[in-house]
Amino acid sequence: MNSSIISLSKKAISLLGIALLWQLVAMQMDPFVLPGPLETMCTVLSYFGDPEFYYAVYRTLLKLLIGMVCVLLLGGCLGCCLDFIRVGSLIWNQSSI
């Protein structure tokens, strides 16, 4: 139990350190190029109230699913074809012996 608290606190300290470094760098740059972490979090949270955000997520996941199915089918077909060719060549070579 104590080690999990220590591990969690180390992760929190690391996250705060990264956010602090991000904020320091963002203060030196144009906000258009690198906005700060608070501005970024506010913008991200505002997306959750927008229905277009959910539609964009839906479309992205749909394209991902379609792509994965296509790759699965193409890879499976190519694997079967290559195995068929390999088995055919083994049978053909054995019949000539």
Side-chain angles (χ1 to χ4, degrees):
M1 177 80 174
N2 192 19
S3 64
S4 65
I5 293 173
I6 292 172
S7 174
L8 187 61
S9 64
K10 285 181 180 180
K11 290 177 184 178
I13 290 171
S14 297
L15 186 61
L16 286 174
I18 290 171
L20 180 65
L21 180 65
W22 180 6
Q23 180 63 40
L24 291 173
V25 173
M27 289 174 16
Q28 302 298 321
M29 299 183 78
D30 182 26
F32 181 75
V33 175
L34 182 65
L38 291 177
E39 184 181 346
T40 303
M41 287 302 287
C42 289
T43 304
V44 167
L45 291 176
S46 72
Y47 285 142
F48 291 125
D50 187 10
E52 286 186 28
F53 170 73
Y54 294 105
Y55 182 68
V57 169
Y58 163 74
R59 293 280 305 198
T60 302
L61 292 176
L62 183 64
K63 289 177 184 179
L64 176 75
L65 181 65
I66 290 171
M68 290 297 231
V69 168
C70 288
V71 166
L72 178 69
L73 291 174
L74 182 65
C77 289
L78 285 175
C80 287
C81 289
L82 289 175
D83 190 52
F84 181 73
I85 291 170
R86 184 184 62 86
V87 170
S89 69
L90 289 175
I91 292 171
W92 186 65
N93 286 338
Q94 283 182 351
S95 65
S96 64
I97 292 178

PDB file of all heavy atoms in Angstrom, residues 53-82:
ATOM      1  N   PHE A  53     -17.635  17.458 -32.178  1.00  0.00           N
ATOM      2  CA  PHE A  53     -16.496  16.715 -31.642  1.00  0.00           C
ATOM      3  C   PHE A  53     -16.798  15.226 -31.631  1.00  0.00           C
ATOM      4  O   PHE A  53     -15.985  14.400 -32.062  1.00  0.00           O
ATOM      5  CB  PHE A  53     -16.157  17.211 -30.235  1.00  0.00           C
ATOM      6  CG  PHE A  53     -15.162  16.353 -29.513  1.00  0.00           C
ATOM      7  CD1 PHE A  53     -13.826  16.376 -29.872  1.00  0.00           C
ATOM      8  CD2 PHE A  53     -15.560  15.533 -28.481  1.00  0.00           C
ATOM      9  CE1 PHE A  53     -12.904  15.585 -29.204  1.00  0.00           C
ATOM     10  CE2 PHE A  53     -14.649  14.740 -27.814  1.00  0.00           C
ATOM     11  CZ  PHE A  53     -13.322  14.771 -28.181  1.00  0.00           C
ATOM     12  N   TYR A  54     -17.975  14.876 -31.148  1.00  0.00           N
ATOM     13  CA  TYR A  54     -18.347  13.464 -31.074  1.00  0.00           C
ATOM     14  C   TYR A  54     -18.535  12.860 -32.468  1.00  0.00           C
ATOM     15  O   TYR A  54     -18.211  11.695 -32.687  1.00  0.00           O
ATOM     16  CB  TYR A  54     -19.615  13.296 -30.232  1.00  0.00           C
ATOM     17  CG  TYR A  54     -19.376  13.661 -28.787  1.00  0.00           C
ATOM     18  CD1 TYR A  54     -19.858  14.846 -28.269  1.00  0.00           C
ATOM     19  CD2 TYR A  54     -18.646  12.823 -27.962  1.00  0.00           C
ATOM     20  CE1 TYR A  54     -19.633  15.192 -26.944  1.00  0.00           C
ATOM     21  CE2 TYR A  54     -18.407  13.157 -26.646  1.00  0.00           C
ATOM     22  CZ  TYR A  54     -18.903  14.334 -26.140  1.00  0.00           C
ATOM     23  OH  TYR A  54     -18.672  14.674 -24.838  1.00  0.00           O
ATOM     24  N   TYR A  55     -19.028  13.663 -33.394  1.00  0.00           N
ATOM     25  CA  TYR A  55     -19.154  13.176 -34.769  1.00  0.00           C
ATOM     26  C   TYR A  55     -17.768  12.937 -35.374  1.00  0.00           C
ATOM     27  O   TYR A  55     -17.561  11.945 -36.077  1.00  0.00           O
ATOM     28  CB  TYR A  55     -19.951  14.176 -35.614  1.00  0.00           C
ATOM     29  CG  TYR A  55     -20.164  13.710 -37.029  1.00  0.00           C
ATOM     30  CD1 TYR A  55     -20.984  12.625 -37.299  1.00  0.00           C
ATOM     31  CD2 TYR A  55     -19.520  14.335 -38.089  1.00  0.00           C
ATOM     32  CE1 TYR A  55     -21.174  12.175 -38.592  1.00  0.00           C
ATOM     33  CE2 TYR A  55     -19.703  13.892 -39.384  1.00  0.00           C
ATOM     34  CZ  TYR A  55     -20.523  12.825 -39.627  1.00  0.00           C
ATOM     35  OH  TYR A  55     -20.694  12.378 -40.907  1.00  0.00           O
ATOM     36  N   ALA A  56     -16.825  13.833 -35.089  1.00  0.00           N
ATOM     37  CA  ALA A  56     -15.463  13.657 -35.603  1.00  0.00           C
ATOM     38  C   ALA A  56     -14.809  12.419 -34.991  1.00  0.00           C
ATOM     39  O   ALA A  56     -14.110  11.664 -35.689  1.00  0.00           O
ATOM     40  CB  ALA A  56     -14.622  14.898 -35.313  1.00  0.00           C
ATOM     41  N   VAL A  57     -15.054  12.182 -33.706  1.00  0.00           N
ATOM     42  CA  VAL A  57     -14.510  10.980 -33.060  1.00  0.00           C
ATOM     43  C   VAL A  57     -15.138   9.731 -33.676  1.00  0.00           C
ATOM     44  O   VAL A  57     -14.450   8.747 -33.965  1.00  0.00           O
ATOM     45  CB  VAL A  57     -14.744  11.032 -31.535  1.00  0.00           C
ATOM     46  CG1 VAL A  57     -14.425   9.696 -30.887  1.00  0.00           C
ATOM     47  CG2 VAL A  57     -13.924  12.137 -30.908  1.00  0.00           C
ATOM     48  N   TYR A  58     -16.447   9.778 -33.909  1.00  0.00           N
ATOM     49  CA  TYR A  58     -17.139   8.653 -34.543  1.00  0.00           C
ATOM     50  C   TYR A  58     -16.567   8.352 -35.918  1.00  0.00           C
ATOM     51  O   TYR A  58     -16.293   7.195 -36.256  1.00  0.00           O
ATOM     52  CB  TYR A  58     -18.641   8.968 -34.633  1.00  0.00           C
ATOM     53  CG  TYR A  58     -19.395   8.109 -35.612  1.00  0.00           C
ATOM     54  CD1 TYR A  58     -19.676   6.780 -35.326  1.00  0.00           C
ATOM     55  CD2 TYR A  58     -19.802   8.632 -36.837  1.00  0.00           C
ATOM     56  CE1 TYR A  58     -20.367   5.993 -36.231  1.00  0.00           C
ATOM     57  CE2 TYR A  58     -20.494   7.849 -37.744  1.00  0.00           C
ATOM     58  CZ  TYR A  58     -20.765   6.534 -37.433  1.00  0.00           C
ATOM     59  OH  TYR A  58     -21.435   5.762 -38.344  1.00  0.00           O
ATOM     60  N   ARG A  59     -16.387   9.405 -36.727  1.00  0.00           N
ATOM     61  CA  ARG A  59     -15.854   9.207 -38.080  1.00  0.00           C
ATOM     62  C   ARG A  59     -14.431   8.643 -38.032  1.00  0.00           C
ATOM     63  O   ARG A  59     -14.072   7.774 -38.821  1.00  0.00           O
ATOM     64  CB  ARG A  59     -15.864  10.526 -38.857  1.00  0.00           C
ATOM     65  CG  ARG A  59     -17.224  11.081 -39.179  1.00  0.00           C
ATOM     66  CD  ARG A  59     -17.808  10.398 -40.342  1.00  0.00           C
ATOM     67  NE  ARG A  59     -16.870  10.506 -41.451  1.00  0.00           N
ATOM     68  CZ  ARG A  59     -17.177  10.323 -42.705  1.00  0.00           C
ATOM     69  NH1 ARG A  59     -18.398  10.037 -43.035  1.00  0.00           N
ATOM     70  NH2 ARG A  59     -16.270  10.431 -43.644  1.00  0.00           N
ATOM     71  N   THR A  60     -13.630   9.154 -37.100  1.00  0.00           N
ATOM     72  CA  THR A  60     -12.252   8.677 -36.978  1.00  0.00           C
ATOM     73  C   THR A  60     -12.220   7.210 -36.583  1.00  0.00           C
ATOM     74  O   THR A  60     -11.463   6.417 -37.157  1.00  0.00           O
ATOM     75  CB  THR A  60     -11.496   9.526 -35.941  1.00  0.00           C
ATOM     76  OG1 THR A  60     -11.528  10.890 -36.356  1.00  0.00           O
ATOM     77  CG2 THR A  60     -10.064   9.069 -35.796  1.00  0.00           C
ATOM     78  N   LEU A  61     -13.037   6.827 -35.608  1.00  0.00           N
ATOM     79  CA  LEU A  61     -13.066   5.428 -35.182  1.00  0.00           C
ATOM     80  C   LEU A  61     -13.616   4.515 -36.275  1.00  0.00           C
ATOM     81  O   LEU A  61     -13.170   3.379 -36.433  1.00  0.00           O
ATOM     82  CB  LEU A  61     -13.889   5.293 -33.903  1.00  0.00           C
ATOM     83  CG  LEU A  61     -13.267   5.928 -32.659  1.00  0.00           C
ATOM     84  CD1 LEU A  61     -14.214   5.817 -31.476  1.00  0.00           C
ATOM     85  CD2 LEU A  61     -11.922   5.315 -32.338  1.00  0.00           C
ATOM     86  N   LEU A  62     -14.591   5.018 -37.035  1.00  0.00           N
ATOM     87  CA  LEU A  62     -15.132   4.243 -38.146  1.00  0.00           C
ATOM     88  C   LEU A  62     -14.067   4.003 -39.218  1.00  0.00           C
ATOM     89  O   LEU A  62     -13.908   2.881 -39.713  1.00  0.00           O
ATOM     90  CB  LEU A  62     -16.342   4.943 -38.747  1.00  0.00           C
ATOM     91  CG  LEU A  62     -17.065   4.216 -39.875  1.00  0.00           C
ATOM     92  CD1 LEU A  62     -17.661   2.909 -39.354  1.00  0.00           C
ATOM     93  CD2 LEU A  62     -18.148   5.105 -40.464  1.00  0.00           C
ATOM     94  N   LYS A  63     -13.305   5.047 -39.543  1.00  0.00           N
ATOM     95  CA  LYS A  63     -12.228   4.886 -40.525  1.00  0.00           C
ATOM     96  C   LYS A  63     -11.154   3.934 -40.009  1.00  0.00           C
ATOM     97  O   LYS A  63     -10.605   3.128 -40.777  1.00  0.00           O
ATOM     98  CB  LYS A  63     -11.610   6.244 -40.842  1.00  0.00           C
ATOM     99  CG  LYS A  63     -12.507   7.140 -41.654  1.00  0.00           C
ATOM    100  CD  LYS A  63     -11.871   8.496 -41.864  1.00  0.00           C
ATOM    101  CE  LYS A  63     -12.800   9.439 -42.596  1.00  0.00           C
ATOM    102  NZ  LYS A  63     -12.206  10.763 -42.792  1.00  0.00           N
ATOM    103  N   LEU A  64     -10.866   4.005 -38.725  1.00  0.00           N
ATOM    104  CA  LEU A  64      -9.898   3.094 -38.125  1.00  0.00           C
ATOM    105  C   LEU A  64     -10.380   1.661 -38.224  1.00  0.00           C
ATOM    106  O   LEU A  64      -9.620   0.761 -38.612  1.00  0.00           O
ATOM    107  CB  LEU A  64      -9.658   3.475 -36.660  1.00  0.00           C
ATOM    108  CG  LEU A  64      -8.754   2.560 -35.868  1.00  0.00           C
ATOM    109  CD1 LEU A  64      -7.296   2.791 -36.271  1.00  0.00           C
ATOM    110  CD2 LEU A  64      -8.931   2.787 -34.396  1.00  0.00           C
ATOM    111  N   LEU A  65     -11.649   1.434 -37.916  1.00  0.00           N
ATOM    112  CA  LEU A  65     -12.215   0.092 -37.985  1.00  0.00           C
ATOM    113  C   LEU A  65     -12.222  -0.436 -39.416  1.00  0.00           C
ATOM    114  O   LEU A  65     -11.842  -1.586 -39.663  1.00  0.00           O
ATOM    115  CB  LEU A  65     -13.642   0.094 -37.418  1.00  0.00           C
ATOM    116  CG  LEU A  65     -14.356  -1.241 -37.408  1.00  0.00           C
ATOM    117  CD1 LEU A  65     -13.660  -2.221 -36.470  1.00  0.00           C
ATOM    118  CD2 LEU A  65     -15.801  -1.052 -37.006  1.00  0.00           C
ATOM    119  N   ILE A  66     -12.614   0.402 -40.362  1.00  0.00           N
ATOM    120  CA  ILE A  66     -12.621  -0.014 -41.768  1.00  0.00           C
ATOM    121  C   ILE A  66     -11.210  -0.350 -42.228  1.00  0.00           C
ATOM    122  O   ILE A  66     -10.978  -1.360 -42.908  1.00  0.00           O
ATOM    123  CB  ILE A  66     -13.261   1.079 -42.650  1.00  0.00           C
ATOM    124  CG1 ILE A  66     -14.759   1.166 -42.372  1.00  0.00           C
ATOM    125  CG2 ILE A  66     -13.003   0.818 -44.127  1.00  0.00           C
ATOM    126  CD1 ILE A  66     -15.441   2.354 -43.020  1.00  0.00           C
ATOM    127  N   GLY A  67     -10.254   0.468 -41.862  1.00  0.00           N
ATOM    128  CA  GLY A  67      -8.863   0.210 -42.231  1.00  0.00           C
ATOM    129  C   GLY A  67      -8.340  -1.089 -41.631  1.00  0.00           C
ATOM    130  O   GLY A  67      -7.659  -1.869 -42.306  1.00  0.00           O
ATOM    131  N   MET A  68      -8.675  -1.337 -40.368  1.00  0.00           N
ATOM    132  CA  MET A  68      -8.216  -2.568 -39.723  1.00  0.00           C
ATOM    133  C   MET A  68      -8.840  -3.798 -40.372  1.00  0.00           C
ATOM    134  O   MET A  68      -8.161  -4.810 -40.573  1.00  0.00           O
ATOM    135  CB  MET A  68      -8.562  -2.543 -38.231  1.00  0.00           C
ATOM    136  CG  MET A  68      -7.747  -1.551 -37.473  1.00  0.00           C
ATOM    137  SD  MET A  68      -6.014  -1.978 -37.528  1.00  0.00           S
ATOM    138  CE  MET A  68      -5.622  -1.901 -35.838  1.00  0.00           C
ATOM    139  N   VAL A  69     -10.125  -3.733 -40.706  1.00  0.00           N
ATOM    140  CA  VAL A  69     -10.787  -4.865 -41.362  1.00  0.00           C
ATOM    141  C   VAL A  69     -10.169  -5.103 -42.737  1.00  0.00           C
ATOM    142  O   VAL A  69      -9.908  -6.257 -43.120  1.00  0.00           O
ATOM    143  CB  VAL A  69     -12.309  -4.629 -41.446  1.00  0.00           C
ATOM    144  CG1 VAL A  69     -12.972  -5.634 -42.373  1.00  0.00           C
ATOM    145  CG2 VAL A  69     -12.935  -4.681 -40.067  1.00  0.00           C
ATOM    146  N   CYS A  70      -9.923  -4.023 -43.487  1.00  0.00           N
ATOM    147  CA  CYS A  70      -9.308  -4.180 -44.816  1.00  0.00           C
ATOM    148  C   CYS A  70      -7.924  -4.808 -44.718  1.00  0.00           C
ATOM    149  O   CYS A  70      -7.578  -5.711 -45.489  1.00  0.00           O
ATOM    150  CB  CYS A  70      -9.230  -2.831 -45.518  1.00  0.00           C
ATOM    151  SG  CYS A  70     -10.818  -2.196 -46.070  1.00  0.00           S
ATOM    152  N   VAL A  71      -7.136  -4.357 -43.771  1.00  0.00           N
ATOM    153  CA  VAL A  71      -5.786  -4.917 -43.597  1.00  0.00           C
ATOM    154  C   VAL A  71      -5.869  -6.377 -43.169  1.00  0.00           C
ATOM    155  O   VAL A  71      -5.093  -7.218 -43.644  1.00  0.00           O
ATOM    156  CB  VAL A  71      -4.996  -4.072 -42.571  1.00  0.00           C
ATOM    157  CG1 VAL A  71      -3.746  -4.775 -42.110  1.00  0.00           C
ATOM    158  CG2 VAL A  71      -4.649  -2.718 -43.158  1.00  0.00           C
ATOM    159  N   LEU A  72      -6.818  -6.684 -42.285  1.00  0.00           N
ATOM    160  CA  LEU A  72      -6.986  -8.069 -41.849  1.00  0.00           C
ATOM    161  C   LEU A  72      -7.366  -8.967 -43.016  1.00  0.00           C
ATOM    162  O   LEU A  72      -6.796 -10.054 -43.192  1.00  0.00           O
ATOM    163  CB  LEU A  72      -8.047  -8.141 -40.753  1.00  0.00           C
ATOM    164  CG  LEU A  72      -8.375  -9.529 -40.216  1.00  0.00           C
ATOM    165  CD1 LEU A  72      -7.206 -10.079 -39.424  1.00  0.00           C
ATOM    166  CD2 LEU A  72      -9.613  -9.472 -39.356  1.00  0.00           C
ATOM    167  N   LEU A  73      -8.308  -8.523 -43.816  1.00  0.00           N
ATOM    168  CA  LEU A  73      -8.731  -9.326 -44.965  1.00  0.00           C
ATOM    169  C   LEU A  73      -7.615  -9.463 -46.000  1.00  0.00           C
ATOM    170  O   LEU A  73      -7.369 -10.551 -46.521  1.00  0.00           O
ATOM    171  CB  LEU A  73      -9.974  -8.719 -45.599  1.00  0.00           C
ATOM    172  CG  LEU A  73     -11.256  -8.796 -44.770  1.00  0.00           C
ATOM    173  CD1 LEU A  73     -12.370  -8.026 -45.457  1.00  0.00           C
ATOM    174  CD2 LEU A  73     -11.650 -10.243 -44.548  1.00  0.00           C
ATOM    175  N   LEU A  74      -6.952  -8.358 -46.308  1.00  0.00           N
ATOM    176  CA  LEU A  74      -5.873  -8.401 -47.290  1.00  0.00           C
ATOM    177  C   LEU A  74      -4.720  -9.276 -46.812  1.00  0.00           C
ATOM    178  O   LEU A  74      -4.203 -10.118 -47.564  1.00  0.00           O
ATOM    179  CB  LEU A  74      -5.375  -6.981 -47.592  1.00  0.00           C
ATOM    180  CG  LEU A  74      -4.281  -6.854 -48.628  1.00  0.00           C
ATOM    181  CD1 LEU A  74      -4.795  -7.294 -49.987  1.00  0.00           C
ATOM    182  CD2 LEU A  74      -3.780  -5.422 -48.691  1.00  0.00           C
ATOM    183  N   GLY A  75      -4.327  -9.103 -45.545  1.00  0.00           N
ATOM    184  CA  GLY A  75      -3.242  -9.920 -45.001  1.00  0.00           C
ATOM    185  C   GLY A  75      -3.610 -11.387 -44.939  1.00  0.00           C
ATOM    186  O   GLY A  75      -2.786 -12.260 -45.232  1.00  0.00           O
ATOM    187  N   GLY A  76      -4.856 -11.664 -44.554  1.00  0.00           N
ATOM    188  CA  GLY A  76      -5.303 -13.058 -44.512  1.00  0.00           C
ATOM    189  C   GLY A  76      -5.310 -13.692 -45.885  1.00  0.00           C
ATOM    190  O   GLY A  76      -4.870 -14.834 -46.065  1.00  0.00           O
ATOM    191  N   CYS A  77      -5.815 -12.962 -46.878  1.00  0.00           N
ATOM    192  CA  CYS A  77      -5.843 -13.487 -48.251  1.00  0.00           C
ATOM    193  C   CYS A  77      -4.432 -13.709 -48.788  1.00  0.00           C
ATOM    194  O   CYS A  77      -4.155 -14.746 -49.402  1.00  0.00           O
ATOM    195  CB  CYS A  77      -6.612 -12.550 -49.159  1.00  0.00           C
ATOM    196  SG  CYS A  77      -8.382 -12.543 -48.847  1.00  0.00           S
ATOM    197  N   LEU A  78      -3.564 -12.746 -48.563  1.00  0.00           N
ATOM    198  CA  LEU A  78      -2.181 -12.902 -49.040  1.00  0.00           C
ATOM    199  C   LEU A  78      -1.479 -14.056 -48.336  1.00  0.00           C
ATOM    200  O   LEU A  78      -0.741 -14.821 -48.956  1.00  0.00           O
ATOM    201  CB  LEU A  78      -1.392 -11.610 -48.834  1.00  0.00           C
ATOM    202  CG  LEU A  78      -1.703 -10.481 -49.789  1.00  0.00           C
ATOM    203  CD1 LEU A  78      -0.932  -9.222 -49.390  1.00  0.00           C
ATOM    204  CD2 LEU A  78      -1.370 -10.865 -51.207  1.00  0.00           C
ATOM    205  N   GLY A  79      -1.731 -14.195 -47.031  1.00  0.00           N
ATOM    206  CA  GLY A  79      -1.135 -15.314 -46.294  1.00  0.00           C
ATOM    207  C   GLY A  79      -1.626 -16.646 -46.811  1.00  0.00           C
ATOM    208  O   GLY A  79      -0.842 -17.592 -46.969  1.00  0.00           O
ATOM    209  N   CYS A  80      -2.921 -16.735 -47.079  1.00  0.00           N
ATOM    210  CA  CYS A  80      -3.468 -17.991 -47.627  1.00  0.00           C
ATOM    211  C   CYS A  80      -2.896 -18.275 -49.010  1.00  0.00           C
ATOM    212  O   CYS A  80      -2.564 -19.420 -49.328  1.00  0.00           O
ATOM    213  CB  CYS A  80      -4.986 -17.916 -47.679  1.00  0.00           C
ATOM    214  SG  CYS A  80      -5.768 -18.030 -46.062  1.00  0.00           S
ATOM    215  N   CYS A  81      -2.785 -17.245 -49.849  1.00  0.00           N
ATOM    216  CA  CYS A  81      -2.232 -17.435 -51.196  1.00  0.00           C
ATOM    217  C   CYS A  81      -0.781 -17.888 -51.129  1.00  0.00           C
ATOM    218  O   CYS A  81      -0.372 -18.808 -51.857  1.00  0.00           O
ATOM    219  CB  CYS A  81      -2.338 -16.142 -51.992  1.00  0.00           C
ATOM    220  SG  CYS A  81      -4.018 -15.723 -52.472  1.00  0.00           S
ATOM    221  N   LEU A  82       0.002 -17.259 -50.266  1.00  0.00           N
ATOM    222  CA  LEU A  82       1.404 -17.652 -50.149  1.00  0.00           C
ATOM    223  C   LEU A  82       1.536 -19.064 -49.596  1.00  0.00           C
ATOM    224  O   LEU A  82       2.407 -19.829 -50.022  1.00  0.00           O
ATOM    225  CB  LEU A  82       2.164 -16.660 -49.275  1.00  0.00           C
ATOM    226  CG  LEU A  82       2.392 -15.291 -49.893  1.00  0.00           C
ATOM    227  CD1 LEU A  82       3.048 -14.355 -48.892  1.00  0.00           C
ATOM    228  CD2 LEU A  82       3.248 -15.402 -51.138  1.00  0.00           C
TER     229      LEU A  82
END
